[in-house]
Amino acid sequence: MSGDSATEQPAGRLPGQPGDVSRPLQAAIQQYHDLLTDQVAADSQGQLKDQLQRRGLFFGEREICTVLRPRFLTNVQYAYIQRAAALVLRAFRKAYEAAMADEAFRAQFGLLPWEEELVRYAPGFRDPSPMSRLDAFLVGETGELRFVEYNAETPAAPAYNDALSEVFLALPAMR
């Protein structure tokens, strides 16, 4: 390494990865908190609980959202998440292509005989799981993105996102 701290990245970090939370982001968060008077917060929390119940927005018995403040992101953070997710998805794509092309490589996945038979049929679309999602957490203190799960079998996330967006946009806190 050259010792040039402006260009070096710690292990596991991508160029352009956000570090500390920026002042404009902190200001936006503070402004949001300032708008949450006791009454606005109580009204918003009540409406949030009511709408989650009415819309069935639960994982089992747990509400899918229990907080009044959405996660605010800077443009840099959002772009970083997009780049990191694209890298992970490219790796998944390569593993998929290798598994489809090589039975010996595919054997490591321990497919059942009926699954192995299904592999031989073209699905009619490029991606094996066109409605999938990566679950991740952006660690605010370090700016690191931690992927915890790939969900290819439950395409509910886009619907949950749309429903939660509608709920949040109607909350007194957001108005």
Side-chain angles (χ1 to χ4, degrees), residues 68-96:
L68 287 179
R69 180 172 61 83
R71 176 74 185 248
F72 294 141
L73 300 172
T74 65
N75 290 336
V76 170
Q77 288 171 319
Y78 186 69
Y80 167 65
I81 292 168
Q82 288 178 312
R83 286 191 313 275
L87 281 173
V88 170
L89 292 173
R90 275 197 302 274
F92 287 174
R93 161 70 46 203
K94 286 184 178 193
Y96 167 73

Side-chain angles (χ1 to χ4, degrees), residues 127-149:
D127 291 312
S129 297
M131 294 294 291
S132 61
R133 74 176 191 270
L134 292 169
D135 289 349
F137 296 93
L138 184 63
V139 181
E141 299 79 34
T142 63
E144 293 177 284
L145 187 63
R146 300 288 177 103
F147 291 98
V148 295
E149 189 173 41

Side-chain angles (χ1 to χ4, degrees), residues 56-76:
L57 299 173
F58 288 83
F59 288 122
E61 304 260 335
R62 188 177 67 85
E63 299 164 334
I64 65 169
C65 182
T66 59
V67 296
L68 287 179
R69 180 172 61 83
R71 176 74 185 248
F72 294 141
L73 300 172
T74 65
N75 290 336
V76 170

Side-chain angles (χ1 to χ4, degrees), residues 7-8 21 32 34 42 80-81 84 125 131 145 161 172:
T7 59
E8 288 180 11
V21 176
Y32 185 87
D34 290 345
Y80 167 65
I81 292 168
F125 41 84
M131 294 294 291
L145 187 63
N161 186 61

